[in-house]
Amino acid sequence: MKIERPRGTRDFLPDEMEKRRAIEAVMRRIAESYGYREIATPTFEHLELFTIKSGEGIVEELYAFKDKGGRDLALRPELTAPVMRLFVNECSVMPRPLRFYYFANCFRYERPQKGRYREFWQFGVELIGSSSHLSDAEVIALAYRIMDELNLDFELHIGHVGLLRHLLKDIEEDRASKIMRLIDKKDVEGLSSYLREINAPEELAEKIYALIELTGSRDVLVEASRLIPDFDMSHMEKLCDVLDSMNVNYVIDLGIARGLDYYTGVVFEAYAKHGLGAQKQICGGGSYRLTHLFGGEDVPSTGFALGFDRIAEICEITPPQKPVIVVVNVGFEGEAFRIAEELRKQGFRVVTDVMERNIRKQFSYANDINASFAVVVGKREIESGRYTLKNMVTGEHYELSFEELVKHLSREAQLP
C-alpha cells in the first residue's frame, strides 16, 4: 500500500533543500550582523499559551491534542508567544534589550492553497525591552535588508495601530477587536455591515474609512494629524527620519491593523509584487506587549516573522555548489575508501561506489550524478603512488601524486 504525505505538507528534494538552506543562510547572517542570537522553543506547547491571547476560538485552527497524561497541548502555530514565554521563564533578569532570532516550522489546521500550508516555516526576530522609535527602526531595517539582499521584488508598508485604537477607544473591547480584524482582512463590505449592526456613530465610521484609505509617502502623516488632531504623531515622524537616513523604501499605510490585539504601536507588512497571487504577504510585524499575559512584567517588544515558504517560492537565489568527485575503485575497495576519506578531510564532496559495479558502470554513474571529476584507484595507481584524475566535463586526464591531486582539485573547485 502506498502511503501519501499528509495534506498541507511537502517533501523537499536535494535541489530544493539546497536553495532553502542558501536563503536561510542569508537570513541568519544578516540577523547576526545586527547582534541577534538564535533561540529555539519546543515544537508543542501548552494549549493555553495560544488561547490566552487569542481566545478559545483559535483551537479550531490548531493541531491541538491531549497527551497521555490528559494535558491539553498544541503544535505551535507561530513563534512570538513561545518566545515571550521563554523570556518570562528564562530571561527576565537578563540585560535589555534582548535580541533573539529563530527559524522553525509551525502548524495550522486550515485549508491548504498556493502559498499556504499546514506545516510552514518562519524566520523571525524579537527585540525585547524597548518601546523607542529606534527599536522599531532597527527591526524594520533588518527585515528590509534581508528581503533586499535576497533580491525580492517587494513593497514595505508601515502603519500605526495606535491611530485606530484611539478612534475606537469608546467602543466595547470585543467590538473594537472585531473591527480591527475586519480592517486587517481588508473586508470593507463586512466592516460597513458591522458598523451599521452596532450602530456606530456616523462620524466615527467616516473617520475609520478615511484613515484606512490613507496610503502614500510620509506626507500621509500630516493628513492623519488633521483627521485625529489629539493623537501624538511624533513617534512615527522620528521613525521615518531614521528609516530615511538608512535609505529604506517604504509606504505609509494607516490601514494596517495586523488583526491581533497585542499589537500596540508601529506595525508593518511586506508584499511580493509578483509570483504569489492573493497570498502575497511575505513579512509581518510590529511593536507589541505580551509578557504580562504569561505571568511576567509588562515589557515592550518589537518583532517580525518572514514567511519562509513564500519567499522560497519567489526567490531566485543560486545555492553555492561544491563539485562532486567520484573515486572509482578498480578492485581495491579499502584503498578507494581511504583516498576518499582523505579528500573529504581536505573539504571536497566525495562519492564512492557501494554497489560493487565494474569500472564502466562506475564512470556511467559519475556522469549520471553530474560529477566534475573522477579519481581512479587501481593496482597501477597504488604501486606508483600517482592517481589518475579525469575531468568529467572536458575529458582530460592527469597522473598526479596525492599532494598534486589535492592542489589541482582545490584550484579547480576554488577551495581555499
Side-chain angles (χ1 to χ4, degrees):
M1 180 181 69
K2 183 179 178 183
I3 299 176
E4 301 288 345
R5 66 177 183 267
R7 187 169 183 237
T9 64
R10 289 155 297 158
D11 298 313
F12 300 110
L13 292 174
D15 285 348
E16 181 65 19
M17 280 307 303
E18 287 171 4
K19 176 182 177 181
R20 290 171 71 90
R21 292 301 185 209
I23 296 170
E24 179 188 340
V26 171
M27 293 177 172
R28 289 178 181 276
R29 173 173 54 79
I30 294 175
E32 290 172 7
S33 76
Y34 277 69
Y36 288 73
R37 300 175 68 194
E38 185 175 14
I39 57 171
T41 63
T43 304
F44 57 90
E45 299 269 4
H46 290 289
L47 178 62
E48 184 184 16
L49 181 70
F50 306 110
T51 59
I52 199 170
K53 69 180 178 64
S54 302
E56 294 295 330
I58 196 175
V59 175
E60 296 300 317
E61 302 171 17
L62 303 182
Y63 278 90
F65 57 96
K66 287 185 182 291
D67 68 5
K68 293 181 179 180
R71 290 170 285 262
D72 288 311
L73 303 174
L75 299 180
R76 61 189 174 211
E78 48 92 19
L79 272 299
T80 300
V83 172
M84 291 301 104
R85 178 200 51 73
L86 176 149
F87 168 76
V88 170
N89 292 349
E90 313 287 347
C91 314
S92 57
V93 298
M94 293 174 66
R96 299 174 191 171
L98 296 173
R99 291 178 168 90
F100 294 146
Y101 81 85
Y102 54 79
F103 177 69
N105 55 341
C106 300
F107 307 85
R108 287 184 187 156
Y109 191 81
E110 55 188 2
R111 185 171 64 85
Q113 53 186 294
K114 182 178 173 62
R116 188 182 290 272
Y117 306 96
R118 289 179 173 175
E119 182 187 24
F120 57 96
W121 276 258
Q122 285 187 346
F123 184 96
V125 311
E126 309 295 344
L127 176 55
I128 305 169
S130 171
S131 59
S132 168
H133 68 282
L134 296 175
S135 59
D136 293 333
E138 176 175 297
V139 170
I140 291 171
L142 171 49
Y144 182 88
R145 185 176 165 200
I146 287 175
M147 293 183 288
D148 187 54
E149 189 149 335
L150 289 171
N151 292 317
L152 304 180
D153 190 7
F154 69 97
E155 193 170 74
L156 174 66
H157 287 222
I158 301 174
H160 196 302
V161 295
L163 284 154
L164 282 167
R165 296 200 188 285
H166 186 78
L167 278 181
L168 300 173
K169 64 182 184 297
D170 296 325
I171 301 288
E172 291 178 22
E173 185 176 343
D174 288 349
R175 291 180 172 183
S177 294
K178 183 166 183 178
I179 291 170
M180 294 288 283
R181 287 193 292 274
L182 289 167
I183 294 172
D184 179 48
K185 294 177 180 177
K186 312 296 184 188
D187 185 0
V188 178
E189 186 176 326
L191 173 64
S192 177
S193 175
Y194 186 67
L195 290 174
R196 288 195 303 271
E197 179 185 327
I198 64 173
N199 295 316
E202 187 175 332
E203 182 182 0
L204 173 62
E206 289 177 356
K207 285 189 175 183
I208 292 173
Y209 296 138
L211 183 65
I212 64 178
E213 290 296 322
L214 287 180
T215 304
S217 68
R218 61 182 296 177
D219 294 339
V220 161
L221 299 179
V222 177
E223 297 179 51
S225 294
R226 294 195 191 104
L227 186 66
I228 312 174
D230 55 341
F231 185 85
D232 184 4
M233 206 68 71
S234 61
H235 187 103
M236 284 290 286
E237 291 284 1
K238 289 186 285 187
L239 170 63
C240 290
D241 287 341
V242 177
L243 295 178
D244 290 345
S245 72
M246 300 177 74
N247 297 316
V248 172
N249 296 317
Y250 59 88
V251 174
I252 297 295
D253 182 351
L254 300 181
I256 300 177
R258 295 295 295 146
L260 297 171
D261 292 340
Y262 59 77
Y263 283 104
T264 55
V266 170
V267 288
F268 59 96
E269 296 177 347
Y271 312 103
K273 293 182 179 179
H274 310 286
L276 292 177
Q279 303 296 330
K280 64 181 180 178
Q281 185 180 325
I282 55 175
C283 178
S287 56
Y288 61 91
R289 292 177 181 269
L290 260 181
T291 51
H292 62 289
L293 295 179
F294 307 139
E297 60 177 307
D298 189 9
V299 179
S301 303
T302 303
F304 69 77
L306 290 160
F308 188 85
D309 303 277
R310 295 180 187 177
I311 287 174
E313 194 166 324
I314 60 174
C315 182
E316 296 182 357
I317 193 170
T318 302
Q321 293 289 336
K322 277 188 179 181
V324 176
I325 300 165
V326 171
V327 173
V328 176
N329 151 45
V330 189
F332 291 85
E333 297 102 333
E335 183 65 9
F337 268 58
R338 185 188 72 80
I339 291 297
E341 199 65 13
E342 291 299 321
L343 288 172
R344 292 181 187 118
K345 289 177 182 178
Q346 299 296 323
F348 300 110
R349 180 184 291 185
V350 185
V351 172
T352 54
D353 176 52
V354 295
M355 302 286 284
E356 301 186 56
R357 295 176 168 119
N358 62 35
I359 185 171
R360 181 180 63 80
K361 289 185 177 179
Q362 288 182 60
F363 271 106
S364 176
Y365 178 70
N367 275 320
D368 290 342
I369 65 171
N370 296 316
S372 300
F373 301 96
V375 177
V376 178
V377 178
K379 181 179 180 180
R380 181 168 60 86
E381 284 77 16
I382 293 171
E383 289 176 349
S384 68
R386 297 182 71 79
Y387 300 91
T388 301
L389 174 68
K390 179 180 180 181
N391 186 315
M392 298 297 292
V393 178
T394 66
E396 296 175 286
H397 289 74
Y398 306 90
E399 300 290 330
L400 304 169
S401 68
F402 184 78
E403 291 74 17
E404 292 169 338
L405 180 67
V406 169
K407 287 181 181 178
H408 183 88
L409 289 172
S410 297
R411 186 168 60 249
E412 291 293 320
Q414 297 182 335
L415 292 181

